[in-house]
Amino acid sequence: MGNALKEMQDINGALQCYTRAIQLNPRFADAHSNLASIYKDAGQIPEAIQSYKMALKLKPEFSDAYCNLAHCMQIICDWAGYEMRMRKVVMIVRDQLNQKRLPSVHPHHSMLYPLGHKFRRGIAARHATLCLEKVALLKKKAYRYPTGLANGRLRIGYVSSDYGNHPTSHLMQSVPGLHDTSRIEVFCYGLSPNDGTSFRQKVHAEAEHFVDLSKYPCNGDAADKINSDGIHILINMNGYTKGARNEIFALRPAPLQVMWLGYPGTSGADYMDYIITDSVTSPLELAEQYSEKLAFMPYTFFIGDHCHMFPHLMKYEEVVEGLNNPLVTGKQAGQVITPIPSTELQLFPMDTPKSVGTPTRWKCSIEELPTPPDQEVDHVPPADGQESPLHLRPYIMPPTHRSTYGLPEHGIIYCNFNQLYKLDPGTLECWCKILLRVPNSYVWLLKFPALGEANVQAKAAEFGVPPGRIIFSSVAPKEEHVRRGRVADVCLDTPLCNGHTTGMDMLWSGTPMITMLGESLASRVAASQLTTLGCPELVATNYRQYEEIAVALGNNPTELQAMRQKVRLARATSPLFNIGTFSRHLGDLYLRIWDKRARGQPNDHITSTTQRTLPSDRLLCTEPLLEAVSPDEYMSRLMKQQQSVPAWKAAPSNF
């Protein structure tokens, strides 16, 4: 009964059932494990750990309880017995896949363990099969599909539970409204009720059609609705994340079904045809980890709507560079900042047609003093980051200072604002080596969750780091989260699972980010972002190289300032944050995917990206700073710029 109620999203009812079952039979291991899952989903990790341990005490070979306990330990960075635990998780998954059972590791968690491509894809495939088994009970007939375009336009359906205050909407909320409506007709299908935020309102208003599928609780009815709309390509933006309804895709309501953005991995499903990615994130030599065919975007498959949400953070460098430079102290650190020239950083309002010749001007006077003054700008959005910053009215920008977050005024601040589950002992050891090699340096992390702080501090002490060198702050609202990134000197990415949205946030703040290439999609996104930004020298291939890059920047103020300036300027000149160009490229890719079907060709990798050029009109981000060149030419020029490799980049290839 409890499991049925949980499946129906009646969490309180399920909690009561599991609690009552334990009262009736305290030795009922499954009830303890199910209760633990309720606690885990609610973020009550200590209670979850206690209940999982009780389940394992009663049933020592309880695979589900063991793997869920392992994930709880990962969330709070409890790495006691880490290597043994990883080995056992791998053994459990191997045995379950061999027995054709549903693995105890969820697909979205599989990136955190040393499972390899075959096991990760196998886990996803078993969950995809489960969806097929569920919809088979509906006994629905196969759908009929459109054979041609509707009025000459391709119908695209974006399916997501995250149209609201969620990272997915923070990234792509402008995409539906930026497609070329002469070629593409956009349908957005929301799987969750309206949360009342401007994110939801924006997508609802700008998409040509918005359908609230939360009003269609039956997956069969939801699939019927999609099919009746004549969708040509249906986009899955959930994958195996919370709120997903993959059963809709298992019913095949559209002739082509594609994975994009919201889930960092393969679906493992025969009913998903393509995954939209790029040559850095998913090179062809790693294609075997995907059940889908690869469809490459010209630069990166990732995008952020930062130029609409936070244009003020690009225009005004509020933090005095002197405070981030150990060579500048005292009175020098109180000098007025000279902004980057306005000709390089003019922004077009979101609703301004590209024929308008003069962009909106922004102005401010920003000064760093011992007592932070009020800083007036034409408009800055409220702290929740929801209101559009494009209607001009007086607003006071909150000051951003190191002291606000308990950080030392002088020294090098390395930061990482990811959830702590993305951290692993090897990465923390690397960070500690950096701290020991860079005098007066610090690592700034988030209490995300707070329970992880003590465990990280204890492990850092084992690695020889003195107290006070790792500093934790609380999680902040979105606008402050992005804005305070500028307080740090360098972001240290987590190689196990990169900062995806967080990586975009850090780069928009103008802070360089160092990453390390892995093999999974989740561990290669930051490399794609940095390559597109024009900073591939910040991408390491091993821990030793990662360490050397961080140490070189930390010990060389001139190199650090040059890199910070490069990142700040690249926000305007690279394709990374140009959501208008991205939307055009994405539309082109959809048309190429459809064209293969229209010609009767089988699905196959789409890796050539030279068909489109980067237009010179920088609508929605900046003025023309980059002439029209093909993606291949852009990358060629970028590589030529890197021919003179700094000494810190030429590190040994083994750690």
PDB file of all heavy atoms in Angstrom, residues 414 429-441 464-466 469 543-552 554-556 648 651-652 655:
ATOM      1  N   TYR A 414      39.858  30.328  -4.242  1.00  0.00           N
ATOM      2  CA  TYR A 414      39.336  29.328  -5.169  1.00  0.00           C
ATOM      3  C   TYR A 414      37.923  28.985  -4.698  1.00  0.00           C
ATOM      4  O   TYR A 414      37.657  28.954  -3.494  1.00  0.00           O
ATOM      5  CB  TYR A 414      40.193  28.065  -5.155  1.00  0.00           C
ATOM      6  CG  TYR A 414      41.622  28.255  -5.595  1.00  0.00           C
ATOM      7  CD1 TYR A 414      42.658  28.306  -4.659  1.00  0.00           C
ATOM      8  CD2 TYR A 414      41.952  28.374  -6.938  1.00  0.00           C
ATOM      9  CE1 TYR A 414      43.975  28.461  -5.061  1.00  0.00           C
ATOM     10  CE2 TYR A 414      43.263  28.531  -7.349  1.00  0.00           C
ATOM     11  CZ  TYR A 414      44.276  28.583  -6.405  1.00  0.00           C
ATOM     12  OH  TYR A 414      45.568  28.737  -6.809  1.00  0.00           O
ATOM     13  N   GLU A 429      41.545  15.947  -2.475  1.00  0.00           N
ATOM     14  CA  GLU A 429      42.994  15.828  -2.280  1.00  0.00           C
ATOM     15  C   GLU A 429      43.739  16.760  -3.236  1.00  0.00           C
ATOM     16  O   GLU A 429      44.707  17.420  -2.846  1.00  0.00           O
ATOM     17  CB  GLU A 429      43.444  14.391  -2.495  1.00  0.00           C
ATOM     18  CG  GLU A 429      44.945  14.191  -2.258  1.00  0.00           C
ATOM     19  CD  GLU A 429      45.381  12.756  -2.432  1.00  0.00           C
ATOM     20  OE1 GLU A 429      44.605  11.945  -2.972  1.00  0.00           O
ATOM     21  OE2 GLU A 429      46.523  12.439  -2.021  1.00  0.00           O
ATOM     22  N   CYS A 430      43.283  16.840  -4.471  1.00  0.00           N
ATOM     23  CA  CYS A 430      43.897  17.743  -5.438  1.00  0.00           C
ATOM     24  C   CYS A 430      43.763  19.189  -4.979  1.00  0.00           C
ATOM     25  O   CYS A 430      44.720  19.974  -5.045  1.00  0.00           O
ATOM     26  CB  CYS A 430      43.264  17.537  -6.803  1.00  0.00           C
ATOM     27  SG  CYS A 430      43.953  18.571  -8.109  1.00  0.00           S
ATOM     28  N   TRP A 431      42.576  19.565  -4.514  1.00  0.00           N
ATOM     29  CA  TRP A 431      42.373  20.935  -4.024  1.00  0.00           C
ATOM     30  C   TRP A 431      43.291  21.231  -2.840  1.00  0.00           C
ATOM     31  O   TRP A 431      43.825  22.338  -2.730  1.00  0.00           O
ATOM     32  CB  TRP A 431      40.919  21.120  -3.607  1.00  0.00           C
ATOM     33  CG  TRP A 431      39.934  21.120  -4.743  1.00  0.00           C
ATOM     34  CD1 TRP A 431      40.220  21.037  -6.086  1.00  0.00           C
ATOM     35  CD2 TRP A 431      38.519  21.209  -4.642  1.00  0.00           C
ATOM     36  NE1 TRP A 431      39.070  21.067  -6.825  1.00  0.00           N
ATOM     37  CE2 TRP A 431      37.996  21.170  -5.971  1.00  0.00           C
ATOM     38  CE3 TRP A 431      37.624  21.312  -3.584  1.00  0.00           C
ATOM     39  CZ2 TRP A 431      36.632  21.233  -6.233  1.00  0.00           C
ATOM     40  CZ3 TRP A 431      36.264  21.374  -3.839  1.00  0.00           C
ATOM     41  CH2 TRP A 431      35.779  21.337  -5.155  1.00  0.00           C
ATOM     42  N   CYS A 432      43.461  20.259  -1.979  1.00  0.00           N
ATOM     43  CA  CYS A 432      44.327  20.469  -0.813  1.00  0.00           C
ATOM     44  C   CYS A 432      45.786  20.649  -1.241  1.00  0.00           C
ATOM     45  O   CYS A 432      46.513  21.471  -0.665  1.00  0.00           O
ATOM     46  CB  CYS A 432      44.187  19.297   0.153  1.00  0.00           C
ATOM     47  SG  CYS A 432      42.577  19.225   0.992  1.00  0.00           S
ATOM     48  N   LYS A 433      46.217  19.919  -2.242  1.00  0.00           N
ATOM     49  CA  LYS A 433      47.571  20.115  -2.762  1.00  0.00           C
ATOM     50  C   LYS A 433      47.746  21.522  -3.314  1.00  0.00           C
ATOM     51  O   LYS A 433      48.803  22.152  -3.147  1.00  0.00           O
ATOM     52  CB  LYS A 433      47.871  19.075  -3.848  1.00  0.00           C
ATOM     53  CG  LYS A 433      48.039  17.658  -3.332  1.00  0.00           C
ATOM     54  CD  LYS A 433      48.359  16.693  -4.475  1.00  0.00           C
ATOM     55  CE  LYS A 433      48.587  15.285  -3.962  1.00  0.00           C
ATOM     56  NZ  LYS A 433      48.916  14.338  -5.059  1.00  0.00           N
ATOM     57  N   ILE A 434      46.714  22.030  -3.962  1.00  0.00           N
ATOM     58  CA  ILE A 434      46.757  23.402  -4.483  1.00  0.00           C
ATOM     59  C   ILE A 434      46.901  24.394  -3.332  1.00  0.00           C
ATOM     60  O   ILE A 434      47.731  25.316  -3.380  1.00  0.00           O
ATOM     61  CB  ILE A 434      45.491  23.690  -5.311  1.00  0.00           C
ATOM     62  CG1 ILE A 434      45.480  22.831  -6.583  1.00  0.00           C
ATOM     63  CG2 ILE A 434      45.400  25.176  -5.675  1.00  0.00           C
ATOM     64  CD1 ILE A 434      44.127  22.793  -7.284  1.00  0.00           C
ATOM     65  N   LEU A 435      46.103  24.209  -2.291  1.00  0.00           N
ATOM     66  CA  LEU A 435      46.169  25.109  -1.139  1.00  0.00           C
ATOM     67  C   LEU A 435      47.556  25.110  -0.512  1.00  0.00           C
ATOM     68  O   LEU A 435      48.069  26.155  -0.098  1.00  0.00           O
ATOM     69  CB  LEU A 435      45.119  24.708  -0.098  1.00  0.00           C
ATOM     70  CG  LEU A 435      43.655  24.983  -0.444  1.00  0.00           C
ATOM     71  CD1 LEU A 435      42.751  24.480   0.677  1.00  0.00           C
ATOM     72  CD2 LEU A 435      43.416  26.465  -0.666  1.00  0.00           C
ATOM     73  N   LEU A 436      48.174  23.945  -0.438  1.00  0.00           N
ATOM     74  CA  LEU A 436      49.490  23.838   0.189  1.00  0.00           C
ATOM     75  C   LEU A 436      50.583  24.445  -0.683  1.00  0.00           C
ATOM     76  O   LEU A 436      51.653  24.804  -0.174  1.00  0.00           O
ATOM     77  CB  LEU A 436      49.801  22.369   0.493  1.00  0.00           C
ATOM     78  CG  LEU A 436      48.880  21.708   1.532  1.00  0.00           C
ATOM     79  CD1 LEU A 436      49.187  20.221   1.655  1.00  0.00           C
ATOM     80  CD2 LEU A 436      49.013  22.389   2.893  1.00  0.00           C
ATOM     81  N   ARG A 437      50.332  24.592  -1.966  1.00  0.00           N
ATOM     82  CA  ARG A 437      51.342  25.149  -2.873  1.00  0.00           C
ATOM     83  C   ARG A 437      51.133  26.637  -3.168  1.00  0.00           C
ATOM     84  O   ARG A 437      52.030  27.284  -3.725  1.00  0.00           O
ATOM     85  CB  ARG A 437      51.339  24.370  -4.187  1.00  0.00           C
ATOM     86  CG  ARG A 437      51.831  22.932  -4.065  1.00  0.00           C
ATOM     87  CD  ARG A 437      51.787  22.233  -5.412  1.00  0.00           C
ATOM     88  NE  ARG A 437      52.669  22.867  -6.394  1.00  0.00           N
ATOM     89  CZ  ARG A 437      52.682  22.569  -7.687  1.00  0.00           C
ATOM     90  NH1 ARG A 437      51.852  21.645  -8.153  1.00  0.00           N
ATOM     91  NH2 ARG A 437      53.499  23.184  -8.512  1.00  0.00           N
ATOM     92  N   VAL A 438      49.969  27.170  -2.829  1.00  0.00           N
ATOM     93  CA  VAL A 438      49.686  28.586  -3.080  1.00  0.00           C
ATOM     94  C   VAL A 438      49.531  29.289  -1.735  1.00  0.00           C
ATOM     95  O   VAL A 438      48.525  29.096  -1.046  1.00  0.00           O
ATOM     96  CB  VAL A 438      48.404  28.758  -3.927  1.00  0.00           C
ATOM     97  CG1 VAL A 438      48.115  30.240  -4.155  1.00  0.00           C
ATOM     98  CG2 VAL A 438      48.537  28.030  -5.256  1.00  0.00           C
ATOM     99  N   PRO A 439      50.515  30.077  -1.325  1.00  0.00           N
ATOM    100  CA  PRO A 439      50.444  30.763  -0.025  1.00  0.00           C
ATOM    101  C   PRO A 439      49.211  31.663   0.068  1.00  0.00           C
ATOM    102  O   PRO A 439      48.787  32.278  -0.912  1.00  0.00           O
ATOM    103  CB  PRO A 439      51.726  31.598  -0.002  1.00  0.00           C
ATOM    104  CG  PRO A 439      52.648  30.936  -0.971  1.00  0.00           C
ATOM    105  CD  PRO A 439      51.768  30.374  -2.045  1.00  0.00           C
ATOM    106  N   ASN A 440      48.647  31.714   1.248  1.00  0.00           N
ATOM    107  CA  ASN A 440      47.521  32.606   1.521  1.00  0.00           C
ATOM    108  C   ASN A 440      46.360  32.344   0.550  1.00  0.00           C
ATOM    109  O   ASN A 440      45.746  33.261   0.028  1.00  0.00           O
ATOM    110  CB  ASN A 440      47.963  34.071   1.421  1.00  0.00           C
ATOM    111  CG  ASN A 440      47.026  35.006   2.179  1.00  0.00           C
ATOM    112  OD1 ASN A 440      46.365  34.602   3.119  1.00  0.00           O
ATOM    113  ND2 ASN A 440      46.974  36.261   1.753  1.00  0.00           N
ATOM    114  N   SER A 441      46.068  31.091   0.334  1.00  0.00           N
ATOM    115  CA  SER A 441      44.966  30.721  -0.553  1.00  0.00           C
ATOM    116  C   SER A 441      43.887  29.984   0.229  1.00  0.00           C
ATOM    117  O   SER A 441      44.146  29.400   1.292  1.00  0.00           O
ATOM    118  CB  SER A 441      45.466  29.844  -1.705  1.00  0.00           C
ATOM    119  OG  SER A 441      45.991  28.619  -1.216  1.00  0.00           O
ATOM    120  N   GLY A 464      46.436  17.429   5.358  1.00  0.00           N
ATOM    121  CA  GLY A 464      47.447  18.380   5.815  1.00  0.00           C
ATOM    122  C   GLY A 464      47.083  19.834   5.681  1.00  0.00           C
ATOM    123  O   GLY A 464      47.950  20.709   5.842  1.00  0.00           O
ATOM    124  N   VAL A 465      45.826  20.141   5.412  1.00  0.00           N
ATOM    125  CA  VAL A 465      45.415  21.546   5.272  1.00  0.00           C
ATOM    126  C   VAL A 465      45.076  22.123   6.642  1.00  0.00           C
ATOM    127  O   VAL A 465      44.254  21.557   7.365  1.00  0.00           O
ATOM    128  CB  VAL A 465      44.204  21.661   4.329  1.00  0.00           C
ATOM    129  CG1 VAL A 465      43.653  23.084   4.314  1.00  0.00           C
ATOM    130  CG2 VAL A 465      44.590  21.235   2.921  1.00  0.00           C
ATOM    131  N   PRO A 466      45.689  23.254   7.006  1.00  0.00           N
ATOM    132  CA  PRO A 466      45.414  23.860   8.318  1.00  0.00           C
ATOM    133  C   PRO A 466      43.974  24.346   8.413  1.00  0.00           C
ATOM    134  O   PRO A 466      43.337  24.642   7.392  1.00  0.00           O
ATOM    135  CB  PRO A 466      46.389  25.045   8.379  1.00  0.00           C
ATOM    136  CG  PRO A 466      47.411  24.779   7.323  1.00  0.00           C
ATOM    137  CD  PRO A 466      46.720  23.996   6.264  1.00  0.00           C
ATOM    138  N   ARG A 469      41.357  27.234   6.072  1.00  0.00           N
ATOM    139  CA  ARG A 469      41.676  27.391   4.652  1.00  0.00           C
ATOM    140  C   ARG A 469      40.525  26.951   3.741  1.00  0.00           C
ATOM    141  O   ARG A 469      40.544  27.221   2.541  1.00  0.00           O
ATOM    142  CB  ARG A 469      42.942  26.590   4.313  1.00  0.00           C
ATOM    143  CG  ARG A 469      44.188  27.050   5.068  1.00  0.00           C
ATOM    144  CD  ARG A 469      44.715  28.353   4.531  1.00  0.00           C
ATOM    145  NE  ARG A 469      45.249  28.244   3.193  1.00  0.00           N
ATOM    146  CZ  ARG A 469      46.474  27.798   2.899  1.00  0.00           C
ATOM    147  NH1 ARG A 469      47.286  27.393   3.865  1.00  0.00           N
ATOM    148  NH2 ARG A 469      46.882  27.755   1.647  1.00  0.00           N
ATOM    149  N   TYR A 543      44.614  14.975 -13.135  1.00  0.00           N
ATOM    150  CA  TYR A 543      44.680  15.748 -11.897  1.00  0.00           C
ATOM    151  C   TYR A 543      45.958  16.576 -11.787  1.00  0.00           C
ATOM    152  O   TYR A 543      45.941  17.694 -11.273  1.00  0.00           O
ATOM    153  CB  TYR A 543      44.560  14.825 -10.682  1.00  0.00           C
ATOM    154  CG  TYR A 543      43.148  14.550 -10.244  1.00  0.00           C
ATOM    155  CD1 TYR A 543      42.670  13.240 -10.140  1.00  0.00           C
ATOM    156  CD2 TYR A 543      42.283  15.592  -9.916  1.00  0.00           C
ATOM    157  CE1 TYR A 543      41.368  12.976  -9.727  1.00  0.00           C
ATOM    158  CE2 TYR A 543      40.985  15.338  -9.496  1.00  0.00           C
ATOM    159  CZ  TYR A 543      40.523  14.027  -9.402  1.00  0.00           C
ATOM    160  OH  TYR A 543      39.243  13.786  -8.994  1.00  0.00           O
ATOM    161  N   ARG A 544      47.072  16.015 -12.241  1.00  0.00           N
ATOM    162  CA  ARG A 544      48.324  16.755 -12.131  1.00  0.00           C
ATOM    163  C   ARG A 544      48.262  18.056 -12.948  1.00  0.00           C
ATOM    164  O   ARG A 544      48.669  19.125 -12.481  1.00  0.00           O
ATOM    165  CB  ARG A 544      49.494  15.877 -12.597  1.00  0.00           C
ATOM    166  CG  ARG A 544      50.865  16.562 -12.572  1.00  0.00           C
ATOM    167  CD  ARG A 544      51.173  17.148 -11.196  1.00  0.00           C
ATOM    168  NE  ARG A 544      52.420  17.874 -11.194  1.00  0.00           N
ATOM    169  CZ  ARG A 544      53.537  17.458 -10.619  1.00  0.00           C
ATOM    170  NH1 ARG A 544      53.539  16.307  -9.967  1.00  0.00           N
ATOM    171  NH2 ARG A 544      54.628  18.188 -10.675  1.00  0.00           N
ATOM    172  N   GLN A 545      47.730  17.974 -14.144  1.00  0.00           N
ATOM    173  CA  GLN A 545      47.613  19.158 -14.993  1.00  0.00           C
ATOM    174  C   GLN A 545      46.630  20.154 -14.385  1.00  0.00           C
ATOM    175  O   GLN A 545      46.874  21.373 -14.390  1.00  0.00           O
ATOM    176  CB  GLN A 545      47.157  18.722 -16.387  1.00  0.00           C
ATOM    177  CG  GLN A 545      47.395  19.754 -17.470  1.00  0.00           C
ATOM    178  CD  GLN A 545      47.022  19.217 -18.826  1.00  0.00           C
ATOM    179  OE1 GLN A 545      45.856  18.944 -19.087  1.00  0.00           O
ATOM    180  NE2 GLN A 545      48.009  19.056 -19.697  1.00  0.00           N
ATOM    181  N   TYR A 546      45.535  19.649 -13.866  1.00  0.00           N
ATOM    182  CA  TYR A 546      44.535  20.480 -13.169  1.00  0.00           C
ATOM    183  C   TYR A 546      45.194  21.261 -12.039  1.00  0.00           C
ATOM    184  O   TYR A 546      45.009  22.482 -11.896  1.00  0.00           O
ATOM    185  CB  TYR A 546      43.454  19.541 -12.657  1.00  0.00           C
ATOM    186  CG  TYR A 546      42.278  20.123 -11.909  1.00  0.00           C
ATOM    187  CD1 TYR A 546      41.028  20.212 -12.513  1.00  0.00           C
ATOM    188  CD2 TYR A 546      42.385  20.515 -10.581  1.00  0.00           C
ATOM    189  CE1 TYR A 546      39.919  20.687 -11.823  1.00  0.00           C
ATOM    190  CE2 TYR A 546      41.296  21.001  -9.878  1.00  0.00           C
ATOM    191  CZ  TYR A 546      40.062  21.089 -10.496  1.00  0.00           C
ATOM    192  OH  TYR A 546      38.969  21.561  -9.798  1.00  0.00           O
ATOM    193  N   GLU A 547      45.978  20.561 -11.245  1.00  0.00           N
ATOM    194  CA  GLU A 547      46.678  21.191 -10.122  1.00  0.00           C
ATOM    195  C   GLU A 547      47.646  22.272 -10.606  1.00  0.00           C
ATOM    196  O   GLU A 547      47.715  23.374 -10.032  1.00  0.00           O
ATOM    197  CB  GLU A 547      47.427  20.121  -9.324  1.00  0.00           C
ATOM    198  CG  GLU A 547      48.248  20.644  -8.162  1.00  0.00           C
ATOM    199  CD  GLU A 547      49.089  19.552  -7.518  1.00  0.00           C
ATOM    200  OE1 GLU A 547      48.726  18.364  -7.641  1.00  0.00           O
ATOM    201  OE2 GLU A 547      50.126  19.891  -6.907  1.00  0.00           O
ATOM    202  N   GLU A 548      48.397  21.973 -11.663  1.00  0.00           N
ATOM    203  CA  GLU A 548      49.399  22.923 -12.156  1.00  0.00           C
ATOM    204  C   GLU A 548      48.751  24.199 -12.681  1.00  0.00           C
ATOM    205  O   GLU A 548      49.274  25.303 -12.488  1.00  0.00           O
ATOM    206  CB  GLU A 548      50.247  22.273 -13.255  1.00  0.00           C
ATOM    207  CG  GLU A 548      51.137  21.135 -12.773  1.00  0.00           C
ATOM    208  CD  GLU A 548      52.141  21.582 -11.724  1.00  0.00           C
ATOM    209  OE1 GLU A 548      52.590  22.747 -11.782  1.00  0.00           O
ATOM    210  OE2 GLU A 548      52.467  20.775 -10.841  1.00  0.00           O
ATOM    211  N   ILE A 549      47.616  24.073 -13.374  1.00  0.00           N
ATOM    212  CA  ILE A 549      46.920  25.261 -13.879  1.00  0.00           C
ATOM    213  C   ILE A 549      46.480  26.137 -12.709  1.00  0.00           C
ATOM    214  O   ILE A 549      46.680  27.361 -12.710  1.00  0.00           O
ATOM    215  CB  ILE A 549      45.710  24.855 -14.734  1.00  0.00           C
ATOM    216  CG1 ILE A 549      46.160  24.103 -15.985  1.00  0.00           C
ATOM    217  CG2 ILE A 549      44.900  26.088 -15.138  1.00  0.00           C
ATOM    218  CD1 ILE A 549      45.017  23.483 -16.770  1.00  0.00           C
ATOM    219  N   ALA A 550      45.886  25.510 -11.695  1.00  0.00           N
ATOM    220  CA  ALA A 550      45.394  26.265 -10.536  1.00  0.00           C
ATOM    221  C   ALA A 550      46.529  26.924  -9.775  1.00  0.00           C
ATOM    222  O   ALA A 550      46.416  28.077  -9.335  1.00  0.00           O
ATOM    223  CB  ALA A 550      44.601  25.332  -9.618  1.00  0.00           C
ATOM    224  N   VAL A 551      47.627  26.218  -9.600  1.00  0.00           N
ATOM    225  CA  VAL A 551      48.771  26.767  -8.864  1.00  0.00           C
ATOM    226  C   VAL A 551      49.403  27.924  -9.639  1.00  0.00           C
ATOM    227  O   VAL A 551      49.767  28.957  -9.064  1.00  0.00           O
ATOM    228  CB  VAL A 551      49.808  25.662  -8.582  1.00  0.00           C
ATOM    229  CG1 VAL A 551      51.121  26.250  -8.057  1.00  0.00           C
ATOM    230  CG2 VAL A 551      49.243  24.655  -7.581  1.00  0.00           C
ATOM    231  N   ALA A 552      49.528  27.769 -10.936  1.00  0.00           N
ATOM    232  CA  ALA A 552      50.132  28.828 -11.749  1.00  0.00           C
ATOM    233  C   ALA A 552      49.311  30.110 -11.684  1.00  0.00           C
ATOM    234  O   ALA A 552      49.859  31.208 -11.539  1.00  0.00           O
ATOM    235  CB  ALA A 552      50.274  28.356 -13.195  1.00  0.00           C
ATOM    236  N   GLY A 554      47.229  30.910  -9.271  1.00  0.00           N
ATOM    237  CA  GLY A 554      47.255  31.397  -7.895  1.00  0.00           C
ATOM    238  C   GLY A 554      48.543  32.097  -7.520  1.00  0.00           C
ATOM    239  O   GLY A 554      48.538  33.040  -6.717  1.00  0.00           O
ATOM    240  N   ASN A 555      49.669  31.673  -8.092  1.00  0.00           N
ATOM    241  CA  ASN A 555      50.980  32.240  -7.731  1.00  0.00           C
ATOM    242  C   ASN A 555      51.448  33.334  -8.682  1.00  0.00           C
ATOM    243  O   ASN A 555      52.512  33.919  -8.462  1.00  0.00           O
ATOM    244  CB  ASN A 555      52.031  31.128  -7.683  1.00  0.00           C
ATOM    245  CG  ASN A 555      51.923  30.284  -6.423  1.00  0.00           C
ATOM    246  OD1 ASN A 555      51.465  30.762  -5.377  1.00  0.00           O
ATOM    247  ND2 ASN A 555      52.339  29.027  -6.510  1.00  0.00           N
ATOM    248  N   ASN A 556      50.687  33.602  -9.737  1.00  0.00           N
ATOM    249  CA  ASN A 556      51.104  34.603 -10.716  1.00  0.00           C
ATOM    250  C   ASN A 556      49.977  35.609 -10.918  1.00  0.00           C
ATOM    251  O   ASN A 556      49.089  35.400 -11.739  1.00  0.00           O
ATOM    252  CB  ASN A 556      51.464  33.929 -12.047  1.00  0.00           C
ATOM    253  CG  ASN A 556      52.142  34.882 -13.007  1.00  0.00           C
ATOM    254  OD1 ASN A 556      51.835  36.074 -13.054  1.00  0.00           O
ATOM    255  ND2 ASN A 556      53.083  34.351 -13.787  1.00  0.00           N
ATOM    256  N   TRP A 648      52.740  26.015 -17.364  1.00  0.00           N
ATOM    257  CA  TRP A 648      51.861  25.305 -16.444  1.00  0.00           C
ATOM    258  C   TRP A 648      50.860  24.424 -17.162  1.00  0.00           C
ATOM    259  O   TRP A 648      50.228  23.573 -16.560  1.00  0.00           O
ATOM    260  CB  TRP A 648      51.132  26.278 -15.511  1.00  0.00           C
ATOM    261  CG  TRP A 648      50.496  27.456 -16.161  1.00  0.00           C
ATOM    262  CD1 TRP A 648      51.031  28.711 -16.303  1.00  0.00           C
ATOM    263  CD2 TRP A 648      49.193  27.533 -16.740  1.00  0.00           C
ATOM    264  NE1 TRP A 648      50.148  29.550 -16.931  1.00  0.00           N
ATOM    265  CE2 TRP A 648      49.013  28.858 -17.205  1.00  0.00           C
ATOM    266  CE3 TRP A 648      48.162  26.612 -16.918  1.00  0.00           C
ATOM    267  CZ2 TRP A 648      47.854  29.286 -17.831  1.00  0.00           C
ATOM    268  CZ3 TRP A 648      47.003  27.033 -17.537  1.00  0.00           C
ATOM    269  CH2 TRP A 648      46.856  28.350 -17.994  1.00  0.00           C
ATOM    270  N   ALA A 651      51.973  20.066 -18.312  1.00  0.00           N
ATOM    271  CA  ALA A 651      52.252  19.258 -17.126  1.00  0.00           C
ATOM    272  C   ALA A 651      52.373  17.791 -17.500  1.00  0.00           C
ATOM    273  O   ALA A 651      51.912  17.361 -18.555  1.00  0.00           O
ATOM    274  CB  ALA A 651      51.119  19.447 -16.108  1.00  0.00           C
ATOM    275  N   PRO A 652      52.997  16.984 -16.641  1.00  0.00           N
ATOM    276  CA  PRO A 652      53.070  15.550 -16.914  1.00  0.00           C
ATOM    277  C   PRO A 652      51.672  14.956 -17.064  1.00  0.00           C
ATOM    278  O   PRO A 652      50.704  15.458 -16.507  1.00  0.00           O
ATOM    279  CB  PRO A 652      53.772  14.994 -15.660  1.00  0.00           C
ATOM    280  CG  PRO A 652      54.517  16.162 -15.096  1.00  0.00           C
ATOM    281  CD  PRO A 652      53.708  17.372 -15.417  1.00  0.00           C
ATOM    282  N   PHE A 655      49.224  11.278 -12.861  1.00  0.00           N
ATOM    283  CA  PHE A 655      49.082  11.902 -11.534  1.00  0.00           C
ATOM    284  C   PHE A 655      49.726  11.000 -10.486  1.00  0.00           C
ATOM    285  O   PHE A 655      49.384   9.868 -10.369  1.00  0.00           O
ATOM    286  CB  PHE A 655      47.600  12.099 -11.234  1.00  0.00           C
ATOM    287  CG  PHE A 655      47.349  12.740  -9.904  1.00  0.00           C
ATOM    288  CD1 PHE A 655      48.069  13.856  -9.513  1.00  0.00           C
ATOM    289  CD2 PHE A 655      46.408  12.232  -9.036  1.00  0.00           C
ATOM    290  CE1 PHE A 655      47.822  14.441  -8.294  1.00  0.00           C
ATOM    291  CE2 PHE A 655      46.166  12.828  -7.815  1.00  0.00           C
ATOM    292  CZ  PHE A 655      46.875  13.931  -7.443  1.00  0.00           C
TER     293      PHE A 655
END
